[in-house]
C-alpha cells in the first residue's frame, strides 16, 4: 500500500513539475559581512498553486529511506548532522536548508538543461530522486569537498520521466560555494565565486551573459552635450543602471541579482547582513499575475514568490518569511539539541494571513 500511495504522489508531483517551466523561478544571492560571516539567501517561486511548504527539523541519527520512481525503496542512510530546512509538496522534498556544521544547500529548478541518468531499479539501494538530494547532503556532510567526493556514490534520478530537472547551490562555512549541475547523466561542479544563482540556462552561460551588461555601473550619469543647444541629463537617481533587465526570466534575474549584490553596502555583522538580503530579494518577488494569461492566475496564493529564506552560516540561524506573512522568522540551530530533538514538520505559517499592526493615535 505504501508503494501505491508513493507512486500516486509521484505522479502528482511529476505533473506539477512538468508544468513548472513558466512559473518556477528561484533567485539566490550571498553576502559577506565585515566580521567575515557569510549569509546565503534565496526566493522560491511557484505560480501554479500553494506548495504547502513546511519547515522541517531533522535530528542526528535519523534514518531515512529515500524514494525512487517506483516507491520508497531507495538509498537508506542515517543522518550524521542535524538540520533545519523547508520542504515542498512532501515532507522529504527539502528544497533549502542549513545544517549544524554550517553547510547550506538548496535546489533550484533547471528545466530543459539538466539530464539525469536513466533510472535503473537494480540500483535502488544507492538511488534517490532529485528533490531529496538536499536532505541527503545536509544530513551527511559538513563541507563542499565532502559532497564532491561522495556524489558519485549515489544515483540521482527524476521523480518521473515527465518531471523537470534541477541544479543545486551548495556552500560551507569556509566560504566555498559551488553549483552542481547534472548533464549527460554526470554531475558537474562549478565554483560559484559570484555567489548568485537562478535557473536555466546553465551557470556557465549565465556568467558569460553578464558581459552583455559591462556598461552598467552604480551611481549617476554625467550630462551628455549633443550640441551647443541640447544637453541630455538623467531623469533621476541610479541612471548608471539604465538598461538593466527588469523581466522575471532567469537570465534577467541573474543579471539583476549580480549587480544588486555587487553594489550592496557591507554591514558589520551577520544579522545586519541577513536583513539586507531580505531587502535585496524584495526586488525579485513575482506578482502572481505576471506569468499567466489574463484571468488565468490562481486566486489562492498572493504571490508567485511563496517564501524567501536567509541562512547565517556562522551564527547557525535559518530565517524565512512567506507570501502570506512578511514577518521574518528565525530557527536558531544553536538552541536545538540535535541528539534529543524529535524529527518534526510544521507549516511555515500557522495562519496564512498577513498581520497588520494598528496604530493607536491619542
Amino acid at each position: 500500500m505504501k508503494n501505491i500511495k508513493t507512486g500516486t504522489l509521484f505522479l502528482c508531483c511529476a505533473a506539477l513539475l512538468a508544468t513548472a517551466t513558466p512559473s518556477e523561478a528561484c533567485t539566490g544571492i550571498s553576502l559577506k559581512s565585515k566580521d567575515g560571516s557569510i549569509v546565503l539567501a534565496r526566493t522560491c517561486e511557484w505560480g501554479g498553486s500553494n506548495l504547502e511548504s513546511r519547515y522541517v527539523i531533522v535530528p542526528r541519527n535519523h534514518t531515512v529511506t529515500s524514494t525512487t520512481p517506483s516507491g520508497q525503496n531507495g538509498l537508506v542512510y542515517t543522518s550524521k548532522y542535524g538540520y533545519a530546512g523547508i520542504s515542498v509538496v512532501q515532507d522529504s522534498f527539502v528544497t533549502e536548508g542549513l545544517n549544524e556544521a554550517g553547510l547550506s544547500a538548496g535546489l533550484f529548478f533547471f528545466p530543459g538543461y539538466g539530464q539525469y541518468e536513466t533510472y535503473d531499479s537494480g540500483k535502488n539501494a544507492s538511488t534517490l530522486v532529485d528533490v531529496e538530494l538536499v536532505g541527503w547532503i545536509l544530513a551527511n556532510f559538513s563541507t563542499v569537498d565532502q559532497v564532491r567526493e561522495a556524489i558519485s556514490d549515489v544515483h540521482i534520478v527524476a521523480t518521473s520521466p515527465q518531471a523537470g530537472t534541477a541544479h543545486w547551490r551548495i556552500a560551507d562555512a569556509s566560504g566555498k560555494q559551488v553549483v552542481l549541475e547534472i548533464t549527460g547523466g554526470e554531475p558537474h561542479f562549478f565554483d560559484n565565486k559570484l555567489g548568485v544563482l537562478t535557473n536555466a540556462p546553465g551557470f556557465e552561460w549565465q556568467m558569460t551573459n553578464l558581459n552583455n551588461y559591462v556598461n552598467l555601473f552604480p551611481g549617476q550619469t554625467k550630462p551628455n552635450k549633443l550640441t551647443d543647444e541640447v544637453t541630455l541629463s538623467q531623469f533621476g537617481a541610479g541612471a548608471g543602471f539604465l538598461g538593466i533587465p527588469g523581466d522575471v526570466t532567469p537570465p534577467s534575474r541573474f543579471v539583476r541579482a549580480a549587480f544588486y549584490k555587487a553594489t550592496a553596502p557591507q554591514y558589520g555583522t551577520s544579522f545586519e547582513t541577513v536583513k539586507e538580503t531580505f531587502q535585496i530579494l524584495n526586488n525579485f518577488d513575482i506578482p502572481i499575475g505576471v506569468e499567466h494569461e489574463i484571468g488565468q492566475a490562481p486566486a489562492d496564493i498572493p504571490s508567485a514568490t511563496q517564501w524567501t529564506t536567509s541562512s547565517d552560516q556562522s551564527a547557525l540561524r535559518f530565517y524565512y518569511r512567506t507570501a502570506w506573512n512578511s514577518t521574518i522568522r528565525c530557527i536558531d540551530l544553536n538552541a536545538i539539541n540535535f541528539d534529543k530533538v524529535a524529527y518534526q514538520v510544521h507549516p511555515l505559517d500557522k495562519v496564512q494571513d498577513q498581520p497588520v499592526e494598528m496604530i493607536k493615535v491619542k
Side-chain angles (χ1 to χ4, degrees):
M1 179 63 71
K2 176 182 282 187
N3 282 354
I4 293 175
K5 289 182 178 179
T6 305
T8 301
L9 177 62
F10 272 11
L11 288 175
C12 294
C13 293
L16 181 149
L17 293 172
T19 58
T21 303
S23 351
E24 176 72 21
C26 310
T27 302
I29 61 171
S30 60
L31 294 178
K32 187 175 183 179
S33 59
K34 291 180 181 178
D35 64 9
S37 301
I38 299 171
V39 175
L40 291 101
R42 58 90 54 89
T43 64
C44 179
E45 280 81 18
W46 168 246
S49 60
N50 187 343
L51 286 172
E52 300 181 0
S53 302
R54 60 219 77 167
Y55 72 83
V56 180
I57 305 297
V58 179
R60 299 184 200 119
N61 302 311
H62 176 68
T63 300
V64 177
T65 301
S66 304
T67 42
T68 75
S70 60
Q72 191 175 355
N73 54 7
L75 174 71
V76 179
Y77 63 89
T78 300
S79 59
K80 181 179 180 180
Y81 300 99
Y83 69 86
I86 293 181
S87 65
V88 299
V89 182
Q90 180 177 328
D91 293 347
S92 63
F93 292 177
V94 177
T95 304
E96 180 70 30
L98 176 70
N99 75 12
E100 59 179 313
L103 185 72
S104 170
L107 176 151
F108 290 65
F109 199 55
F110 191 47
Y113 286 85
Q115 299 101 31
Y116 304 148
E117 61 181 282
T118 303
Y119 170 60
D120 181 351
S121 60
K123 300 177 180 178
N124 275 353
S126 55
T127 296
L128 69 164
V129 291
D130 57 354
V131 283
E132 292 187 339
L133 181 62
V134 168
W136 176 75
I137 290 172
L138 295 173
N140 289 288
F141 308 106
S142 61
T143 69
V144 166
D145 288 340
Q146 290 174 358
V147 179
R148 282 182 186 266
E149 293 173 6
I151 201 71
S152 59
D153 295 336
V154 296
H155 301 281
I156 303 161
V157 299
T159 55
S160 84
Q162 291 76 37
T165 55
H167 59 179
W168 295 263
R169 177 182 67 177
I170 309 164
D172 62 34
S174 74
K176 184 174 292 186
Q177 184 178 158
V178 296
V179 175
L180 167 62
E181 295 180 350
I182 302 175
T183 55
E186 298 291 333
H188 303 279
F189 289 89
F190 304 96
D191 290 331
N192 190 351
K193 296 179 180 179
L194 178 65
V196 170
L197 187 63
T198 58
N199 313 103
F203 179 70
E204 288 188 308
W205 184 95
Q206 301 276 24
M207 290 295 295
T208 301
N209 182 56
L210 284 177
N211 290 284
N212 284 318
Y213 301 91
V214 68
N215 59 296
L216 299 183
F217 61 92
Q220 319 308 320
T221 58
K222 296 180 180 179
N224 183 5
K225 186 174 182 179
L226 295 185
T227 69
D228 291 338
E229 292 79 21
V230 179
T231 298
L232 306 182
S233 59
Q234 63 182 27
F235 288 119
F241 272 7
L242 184 64
I244 196 168
D247 60 84
V248 301
T249 63
S252 294
R253 285 184 287 105
F254 192 98
V255 172
R256 286 206 310 284
F259 280 93
Y260 291 170
K261 165 192 159 65
T263 57
Q266 187 178 36
Y267 288 93
T269 67
S270 60
F271 182 55
E272 293 172 298
T273 304
V274 164
K275 291 185 286 185
E276 176 66 9
T277 62
F278 281 107
Q279 294 288 355
I280 292 173
L281 289 179
N282 280 337
N283 295 278
F284 298 89
D285 285 352
I286 299 178
I288 191 61
V290 171
E291 300 161 329
H292 300 271
E293 300 286 342
I294 296 296
Q296 299 301 310
D300 62 335
I301 52 177
S303 170
T305 306
Q306 297 201 22
W307 46 262
T308 302
T309 64
S310 189
S311 294
D312 184 337
Q313 292 179 284
S314 58
L316 295 180
R317 289 181 171 180
F318 184 76
Y319 299 82
Y320 74 89
R321 71 178 180 204
T322 73
W324 291 268
N325 184 346
S326 58
T327 301
I328 298 172
R329 284 149 281 178
C330 176
I331 300 172
D332 186 352
L333 275 67
N334 289 301
I336 301 172
N337 185 335
F338 283 106
D339 278 328
K340 295 183 178 181
V341 71
Y343 172 86
Q344 51 195 281
V345 181
H346 303 278
L348 293 185
D349 299 299
K350 293 180 180 179
V351 178
Q352 291 185 333
D353 187 23
Q354 174 64 47
V356 176
E357 180 182 358
M358 299 301 295
I359 305 298
K360 295 182 179 180
V361 180
K362 296 182 179 180

